[in-house]
Amino acid sequence: MRRLAALVLALGLASALHAEEVTTATLDNGLEVVVIEDHRAPVVVHMLWYRAGSADEPVGSSGVAHFLEHLLFKATDTLESGEFSDIVAANGGSDNAFTSYDYTGYFQRVAADRLPLMMRMEADRMNNLRLTEEDIVTERGVILEERNQRVENSPNALAREQMRAAQYLNHRYGVPIIGWKHEMETLDMDDALAFYDLYYSPNNAVLVVAGDVQPDEVIALARDHFGPIPAEPDLPERVRSQEPPQTAERRMVFEDPRVSQPYLTRSYIAPERDSGAQEKAAALTYLAELLGGSPFTSALGVALQFDSQLAVYTSAYYGGRSLDDTTFGLTVVPAEGVTLQEAEAAMDVAIADFLAEGIDPDQLERLRTQLRAGEVYARDNVQGLARRYGAALTQGLTVEDVQAWPGILQAVTEEDILAAAREVLDPDRSVTGWVVPSREVLQ
Amino acid sequence: MTRLILALALLIAPFAVRAEIEIQEVTSPGGIDAWLVQEPSIPFVALEIIIDGGASLDEPGKRGATNLMVGLLEEGAGDMDARAFQTAREGLAASYGFDAYDDSVVITARFLTENRDQAVDLLRKALTEPRFDQDALDRVRAQVQSIIRSDATDPNAIAGAAFDAAAFGDHPYGSDINGTAESVSALTRADMITAHRNALVRSRVHVGAAGDISAQELGTLLDDLLGALPQEGPVLPEAVEFGLDGGTTVIDFETPQSVALFGHEGLARDDEDFFAAYILNEILGGGLQSRLMEEVREKRGLTYGVYSTLVPKDHAALYLGNVASANQRIAEAIAVIRDEWARMAQDGVNAGELNAAKTYLTGAYPLRFDGNAAIAGILAGMQATGLAPDYVENRNAYVEAVTLDEINRVAGELLDPDGLHFVVVGQPQGLE
């Protein structure tokens, strides 16, 4: 039972591209373990990731993944409510958690010799949570205030919700992680426990430990603390409703008097990084930089902020890490006196010119250099490295994919980028939103 | 060049004793002081430069000048216009940050070992030969004006502006460093040159460096980078009294959740009671384990977060807090905070709370030193705060030395429930 099933992938590539030392193992109960060594400071980051996020929630209970994340800081069989974090703090550490579409994660940052205690407590709350009705009521108030703070009080966040809902025709990514307010208000004990009982299991989790640790010791500790927890036999295959072909351009006007700076934003449905097939995502990573990465050298920045003064801000965004279809986004904040219509027309011209004229080889080379340097800088932040692996392994990628990614980025060519751009920048797969204080500004 | 070796391990006796941090005091041949942690395992350097003064040096009628000037440092220097400068920076994969605050200008940089000289030379041009081209000035001015417009309908920004104006009036602390739409629209290239001359001053520089560089190399680098800055700058502003009495100010703004900023006078960083106050705040509202979080969030579910913090500025000291709750619940949240403030002022903390806070603070301290960028920032910040180099060694002992009597005396002296002023932005129910 407590034997290691699989061991050890060592990284020996003498390249700056993957200089972090990574070791992996899988316990008999299915728990995957990733250890990243960084011996510069006597610190460890201990993270447990579940392959369960808001896109895995049952119909009608949006927000339950995030609600449960909050509730995991309540009592267990052996700890009182709040005691988990009190113990972490009493050991000089800090702890928190996060929920996304594809995963929920819990982490502590603490002196390296406190790792066994962290593991014992994290393993405990995988199985032994004891919630009360009072917990449910109080914490539901907290998440509703969190939604108030992050979303209801922010017209930009409200507009983003509407954009995503319009972008995804069939996939659960169109529902906000924190939940729709009317569904959050109905979340109860059964909703939370059903999600917990099914998904919080070793065969649905990835343990990432990064810092001043020895891999064999970490794996032995994981075996001791997590090993006795049985795998969930009924864990369902991870199937979400997928997007159909998107064949109609969508447009929206979002009106809120709290908007004092009108802007426009457009998103396109886009492919994500897939295991063994990350090349298109790599090309789109470049495309985002080339279109809107730097206000000084990108296509939108130069056209709208330098060659003309039509915009005060431009950007492009692509996030390739996603289990299912992701998005490619553009934003333009017009200069005073410039209408959204004029700004959007200028944006479209800039994109068309980019596709027609091709890519300056020097700029491509500079981007390559920056991406390569980014790997050097990334090694300074061991928690960032831990997040990179945890996110990848809960979003359908493997350790090999993570380590291949910098090399794949370096191999991207101009043809790859332009081909990906022509495929993705298709109006029929896009949503364009104008965010305004009042429709009157559109008159 | 003196050299100081600090064994971080000493600080964390109960914890793993494996890593050491060695802070070197460096003085460049040209006389610029810096602290360095040499860490060669990753081939880059992180640099942080704090220059005292900041936006408080804005001249009368020129509010926003320092902020705009700092925003223009990356917009062209020497023989390069903005695009040429940024193209060069991108080609080196270096990154530079330029930020203005009330009391300082902060410059951060990271650059690869393989092109360090070029990256430093480019940064030198930005700091000492900025062009302030009119087209760049107009472009960045428009960006600042856009931020000013957005802040005008942001509840947190509205609360901050109202609180500062009421507390500090005409002193620079009384207005936002961005300036107003009117003041920013009137700024000229000449104002940028003046602001640059006033704010980037060699005698007010504090440098922290960490990464793949030796003390000798850093000394040479600093002379190259900062040697051409003027030695002295204008007189810094006078100290200012905190001018806000206790009470509640409601600013009507149509939004579902009210945000509240609250506070009263605080404690100077060099006050002998600062450590006691720092621990006191940790217990009252400093983090996720605080009394305010327990009472307002954990027990009552009234908010996602409530925090308090000591804000020792260079010319005034504040004790501030913030909370946000739905319009119909904010009154209760504020009542609970006032009660906790009063309870703490009257009864203080108990021995168990003090012990828990000490254990947390002393245990967490060494965890801050976890990367070149973090270390460079800590080293610069310690110098800007006027701390001695051995502070890293002694800091946890200062925390441990605070007694229950001391902290509870400070609680009585510092916390002033009647002096607490709340600025609430929203449509709160049950508040005047």
Side-chain angles (χ1 to χ4, degrees), chain A residues 255-336:
Chain A
E255 188 182 18
D256 190 317
R258 295 172 296 175
V259 174
S260 48
Q261 170 65 68
Y263 64 95
L264 75 93
T265 174
R266 184 186 293 159
S267 73
Y268 301 87
I269 202 87
E272 75 285 3
R273 287 167 62 182
D274 284 324
S275 187
Q278 304 184 83
E279 287 74 11
K280 201 177 283 182
L284 290 169
T285 302
Y286 278 86
L287 181 64
E289 291 296 323
L290 290 163
L291 284 182
S294 154
F296 302 96
T297 57
S298 68
L300 291 176
V302 170
L304 275 67
Q305 296 179 254
F306 280 85
D307 291 349
S308 71
Q309 279 76 51
L310 291 170
V312 294
Y313 175 82
T314 58
S315 74
Y317 174 77
Y318 170 71
R321 260 187 342 212
S322 180
L323 184 56
D324 299 313
D325 286 351
T326 185
T327 59
F328 187 98
L330 304 167
T331 299
V332 174
V333 180
E336 216 170 0

Side-chain angles (χ1 to χ4, degrees), chain A residues 122-179:
Chain A
E122 197 62 80
D124 173 48
R125 67 177 172 180
M126 184 187 281
N127 241 17
N128 300 325
L129 195 61
R130 292 296 171 259
L131 298 176
T132 67
E133 276 305 325
E134 195 191 341
D135 291 335
I136 297 292
V137 173
T138 309
E139 206 58 31
R140 197 168 53 210
V142 171
I143 59 167
L144 285 164
E145 289 295 354
E146 184 176 355
R147 185 182 159 86
N148 279 339
Q149 183 172 326
R150 291 185 191 275
V151 185
E152 304 291 344
N153 254 27
S154 165
N156 296 342
L158 287 166
R160 271 197 301 276
E161 278 190 349
Q162 297 294 312
M163 288 280 294
R164 275 189 83 89
Q167 177 73 75
Y168 286 98
L169 303 174
N170 196 42
H171 196 285
R172 194 49 198 237
Y173 287 163
V175 176
I177 296 166
I178 199 162

Side-chain angles (χ1 to χ4, degrees), chain A residues 90 109 153 258 260-261 377 380, chain B residues 93 149 153 255 326 359 367 372:
Chain A
R109 215 174 139 267
N153 254 27
R258 295 172 296 175
S260 48
Q261 170 65 68
Y377 297 134
D380 197 34
Chain B
R149 274 197 299 279
T153 53
T255 200
T359 317
L367 304 194
N372 293 340

